[in-house]
Amino acid sequence: MSVATVSTAPIAGQKPGTSGLRKKTAVFRQPGYLENYVQAVIEGVGGVEGRTLVVGGDGRFFNDQAIAIILRMLAANGAERAIVGQNGMLSTPAASNLIRKRKAFGGLVLSASHNPGGEDGDFGLKFNIANGGPAPESTTDAIFARTTALTEYRILDENAPALGTLGESRLGGMIVEIVDPVADYVTLMQTLVDFDRISKLFASGFTLRFDAMHAVTGPYAKAILEGALGAPAGTVINATPLPDFGGHHPDPNPVHAAELFRLMFSAEAPDMGAASDGDGDRNIVLGRGISVSPSDSLAVLAANIHHTKGYAGGLKGIARSMPTSRAADRVAEKRGVELFETPTGWKFFGNLLDAGRVTICGEESAGTGSAHVREKDGLWAILLWLDIIAARGEPIAAILKEHWKTYGRDYYTRHDYEGIDIATGDRLMADLRTSLASLPGKTFAGLTVKAADDFAYQDPTDQSVTRQQGVRVLFANGARAVFRLSGTGTEGATLRVYLETFESDPSRHDHDPQEMLSDVIAAADAIAGIRERTGRTAPDVIT
Ligand code: VG1
Ligand code: CO
């Protein structure tokens, strides 16, 4: 065995975003690009000597080659053991679970999540810490600092083992342990939801269509839904993970999961429709003729979590990302539990979950999770819905409508403007920030601004402060518009505009959110000058 120490120079732009480093696959494949970043990760987290790490990804193009390089580098840097998902596959929540279960030092999760894959698509790499969650900002800052000062990386001069066969082998001084990516995850799910009750639901004729979008959740969904829970074969569609996700974006939104949405609003709709994303941490849930907005899903799950097997103790607290609607706040208030508002990105939930202060957390971007792992978990959320449906004996539409009746409805939509010029996006945000102090009292599209600020968060457990997390504009009637730039894109800038308004009157709960929000949408455009600055007449994606 010999370790090569390869001289290198810093590569610009290796700054982790909302969820690790995401770039075009072609960028990651440039000679030394991945190697530099992996060495920076290793050094930024304080070295891996004698340590155990979990490695796996969503199976996209370059997943296996990247894992081979990572394994050779972990071995060269003195790691003791690498636990790798068979064929390099691990969903993000399953990786989080493995890190926790095996008490690993951390993990390298290869994914660009909902971004398209393939040679011309996107690739990503994220480091998760020992609690199973994404590295906090102090760690990603340290990693980024190393990327700017690197002079060499270390790699073993030996081929990494093939990843197809379960069991242990040696790579230099490191043990490579290939594990079944699905088994431990299934065991965990059995402790959280009532498999017998859900099996009975399927046996009674309840129908589900789960779209795995040719991404990593296929094998998990097959094993759990069609295997353990006895849903009929064919319940899970697009179940085979493909390196290019069949040419689609594995993003379960109305645009990229259009077929599922169409089905759920047709005469052939099953009782429930659901989908997850590239790496299995997102979820979308639809009932017959109705889609559940992710913000509502968080609120409904929180309000009903006591019905489920693993959370019979009830609700301790709820956390949501700032742009997520305030539907969850209403549940927290009624139950007398704490509500935390965090910046976008799962890394901000970790401390709250570790401290036992929240039972459930979620984001408007189709992410929901709990303390069972330290990532959002797509399949888990879908199972939680199934357990609640089984316990209550009611369809999704009835559960949702009753929720609105009790708590009122927060009409919600997100408008994304993708691939806009980076300078235009930066200027729009900078100008918004400059105008904050002058906004209150002004009226736009008939709505008067009550307050406006740039969201900053102080973590209540370690007091760390994160600033500039999005501009919030609150209107006098309670409506809200939030503006921020995406931190996961790989091309130009993506402007996200989050819009919501509250309606307490049940006779007004059956409207189209775009209609109910038309004045907030117009006010947001007037405030930020979106059309004028970007030249766009409509958003690229509406969720
Ligand atoms: C987006 C979402 C955010 C989510 C992140 C990672 O980030 O808005 O809520 O946590 O993706 O999700 P941004 O910065 O592009 O808005 V995933 O499923 O990519 O791991
Ligand atoms: Co994801």
Side-chain angles (χ1 to χ4, degrees), residues 231-508:
T235 296
V236 182
I237 62 160
N238 299 324
T240 309
L242 297 175
D244 68 347
F245 307 117
H248 301 293
H249 288 225
D251 189 342
N253 67 24
V255 174
H256 300 298
E259 225 170 282
L260 180 70
F261 278 75
R262 223 174 7 248
L263 173 74
M264 295 310 296
F265 287 89
S266 75
E268 287 78 49
D271 294 301
M272 177 173 174
S276 188
D277 70 335
D279 61 331
D281 56 358
R282 295 187 178 206
N283 76 92
I284 188 81
V285 167
L286 300 100
R288 196 174 275 147
I290 200 163
S291 81
V292 184
S293 88
S295 293
D296 276 348
S297 183
L298 172 66
V300 171
L301 290 177
N304 288 280
I305 205 157
H306 58 279
H307 288 301
T308 66
K309 175 178 167 182
Y311 307 87
L315 198 60
K316 267 185 263 153
I318 310 175
R320 63 161 172 85
S321 68
M322 182 273 282
T324 303
S325 96
R326 290 159 296 171
D329 306 28
R330 304 181 203 286
V331 177
E333 202 190 333
K334 204 159 231 166
R335 297 293 164 82
V337 299
E338 282 190 294
L339 182 286
F340 299 89
E341 186 176 34
T342 59
T344 296
W346 212 261
K347 58 182 168 229
F348 296 101
F349 293 132
N351 283 349
L352 297 169
L353 291 165
D354 283 352
R357 292 179 74 168
V358 295
T359 306
I360 187 165
C361 28
E363 295 191 278
E364 54 65 44
S365 54
T368 336
S370 84
H372 70 288
V373 287
R374 291 293 180 277
E375 289 278 8
K376 52 190 188 269
D377 188 344
L379 207 45
W380 165 86
I382 290 157
L383 291 169
L384 217 58
W385 265 99
L386 283 166
D387 206 13
I388 290 166
I389 292 164
R392 288 186 46 161
E394 288 171 281
I396 291 172
I399 293 173
L400 189 58
K401 285 180 182 173
E402 201 216 288
H403 185 92
W404 291 336
K405 212 164 151 190
T406 308
Y407 297 93
R409 177 171 181 186
D410 289 87
Y411 278 99
Y412 188 86
T413 187
R414 188 181 87 199
H415 287 190
D416 288 342
Y417 297 83
E418 295 179 342
I420 60 175
D421 179 52
I422 291 180
T424 304
D426 287 345
R427 212 168 318 118
L428 185 148
M429 288 306 297
D431 289 351
L432 264 178
R433 291 189 163 107
T434 315
S435 72
L436 284 176
S438 67
L439 287 177
K442 284 193 184 149
T443 300
F444 302 88
L447 295 174
T448 304
V449 176
K450 186 174 156 199
D453 69 358
D454 189 355
F455 181 61
Y457 176 68
Q458 179 163 34
D459 184 303
T461 64
D462 68 11
Q463 314 310 326
S464 60
V465 176
T466 309
R467 292 182 211 284
Q468 295 217 313
Q469 293 301 302
V471 166
R472 303 189 282 193
V473 178
L474 192 67
F475 298 99
N477 69 349
R480 187 176 78 152
V482 171
F483 306 83
R484 59 180 286 280
L485 295 177
S486 158
T488 58
T490 60
E491 243 175 79
T494 293
L495 172 68
R496 301 200 197 283
V497 188
Y498 310 81
L499 308 138
E500 64 181 297
T501 192
F502 180 63
E503 178 57 64
S504 58
D505 178 359
S507 76
R508 290 169 54 80

Side-chain angles (χ1 to χ4, degrees), residues 44-107:
V45 303
V48 294
E49 211 174 327
R51 290 177 155 158
T52 294
L53 289 112
V54 168
V55 183
D58 61 13
R60 68 180 64 218
F61 179 82
F62 192 52
N63 191 60
D64 45 359
Q65 289 173 51
I67 290 178
I69 290 171
I70 289 168
L71 292 177
R72 289 165 59 207
M73 291 186 68
L74 289 176
N77 281 277
E80 187 178 295
R81 179 181 292 262
I83 301 170
V84 189
Q86 189 176 25
N87 298 317
M89 307 286 287
L90 278 176
S91 77
T92 291
S96 184
N97 179 44
L98 260 186
I99 293 169
R100 296 167 65 77
K101 187 165 182 174
R102 300 293 305 271
K103 298 190 168 30
F105 171 69

